[in-house]
Amino acid sequence: MRNAFGDRPGPYVIGHRGAAGYAPENTMVSFERGIALRADAIELDIHPTSDGELVVIHDPTLERTTNGRGLVSTHSLAQLKELDAGTWFDPSFRDCRIPTLGEVLEWARGRTKILIEIKQGPIFYPSIEEMLLAALDRFQVRNDVMVISFDHHSVRKLKQLAPEIPAGILYAGRCIDPVALARAASADALMPHWALVTKEEVDAAHAAGLLIGPWGGQEQNYEYLLAMGVDAVLADCPDRPRKVMDEVAGDR
Ligand code: G3P
Ligand code: CA
């Protein structure tokens, strides 16, 4: 199994929804910004359309980040492509559109790794794992992605279908036995909410051969997390953890 986050020892900076602190999340502009801010990889979220495409958007509904209404999954790709996915963030981004996963994979190929979060609930997409694998094969990027989800059933199914693809379980709690959660889902990495991570959890992950990469909002304390030895941090503003890492490297 390759390192889930990349090809070298960590820690890694993952641009959360691209660079969601600086550009409309989950758009091509946001992904470009993440790379420009020295993210090692990009995280994004996927949902299916009514006509069998995968699109990159966080919520199951359109209202928060577009000028559309209703469920993503009841709209066709053509309908979703009509929507403005940038003005909600700032009017200067009015030309931003919802990307397809394929558009992002094509952009990313040979350039950056992608963490793909399978979104499930309250609507569940029974074939999203197969759809994802078909997209990865279409762009020949199985080796360039990691798959993550709060839906551990989805993670387990993905690993049954494609054991070679690294996968992580997302969770937001101080679990009694996070390693057992990972084992139950055949996952390679723990992805806890940052505020509930402990040094004991980091050490337990590593002792079990798992990686650990916390996530959270812009209030994350990167000095605290990196000092605990986490393998990656997810950041809306990738320049912030990068600055901490640069400072630590400068002190050596
Ligand atoms: O993928 C980690 C993190 O993105 C999970 O939370 O709600 O931002 O998708 P969310
Ligand atoms: Ca996500």
Side-chain angles (χ1 to χ4, degrees):
M1 175 60 56
R2 61 190 159 87
N3 183 326
F5 295 113
D7 303 324
R8 59 160 175 77
Y12 284 83
V13 174
I14 314 295
H16 185 233
R17 311 180 197 171
Y22 298 117
E25 63 184 53
N26 282 326
T27 64
M28 297 309 298
V29 171
S30 189
F31 302 136
E32 290 279 6
R33 192 70 59 91
I35 295 302
L37 293 171
R38 298 169 59 210
D40 297 299
I42 294 298
E43 187 264 356
L44 56 76
D45 308 282
I46 57 168
H47 292 265
T49 68
S50 64
D51 50 352
E53 297 287 339
L54 289 174
V55 287
V56 178
I57 185 168
H58 181 273
D59 299 358
T61 50
L62 294 165
E63 281 81 351
R64 183 178 64 86
T65 60
T66 78
N67 59 343
R69 294 171 65 85
L71 297 172
V72 174
S73 58
T74 58
H75 288 71
S76 67
L77 179 59
Q79 288 172 321
L80 294 173
K81 279 294 185 185
E82 292 293 315
L83 302 178
D84 170 350
T87 295
W88 70 276
F89 187 86
D90 186 276
S92 63
F93 292 106
R94 66 182 173 279
D95 293 332
C96 290
R97 294 289 174 266
I98 298 172
T100 64
L101 178 63
E103 287 167 344
V104 182
L105 294 178
E106 188 161 39
W107 166 84
R109 191 168 45 191
R111 186 179 202 176
T112 186
K113 292 194 181 295
I114 302 281
L115 271 68
I116 300 172
E117 182 181 344
I118 297 176
K119 283 297 189 193
Q120 298 273 28
I123 302 157
F124 290 91
Y125 310 122
S127 300
I128 193 168
E129 300 85 4
E130 287 89 344
M131 294 170 71
L132 172 57
L133 290 174
L136 298 181
D137 288 343
R138 192 155 67 244
F139 293 91
Q140 300 185 325
V141 289
R142 278 197 190 209
N143 289 331
D144 300 324
V145 303
M146 176 176 178
V147 176
I148 61 179
S149 188
F150 285 101
D151 185 334
H152 300 185
H153 296 267
S154 242
V155 171
R156 184 174 61 177
K157 181 176 172 187
L158 188 284
K159 290 294 287 188
Q160 284 168 346
L161 294 170
E164 76 281 11
I165 296 179
I169 48 164
L170 292 161
Y171 53 97
R174 193 169 170 214
C175 303
I176 301 288
D177 192 347
V179 170
L181 290 183
R183 297 286 186 240
S186 306
D188 309 289
L190 303 178
M191 314 254 334
H193 187 271
W194 81 274
L196 289 160
V197 177
T198 62
K199 179 79 169 98
E200 289 69 32
E201 187 174 7
V202 174
D203 291 345
H206 291 162
L210 300 168
L211 298 175
I212 182 163
W215 54 275
Q218 293 183 28
E219 72 281 10
Q220 285 184 82
N221 183 329
Y222 297 114
E223 290 91 343
Y224 168 76
L225 292 172
L226 292 163
M228 277 196 277
V230 300
D231 301 289
V233 289
L234 277 77
D236 288 2
C237 303
D239 49 326
R240 293 185 188 170
R242 181 63 69 197
K243 183 165 180 281
V244 174
M245 289 161 62
D246 285 348
E247 286 169 359
V248 169
D251 288 343
R252 280 196 200 115

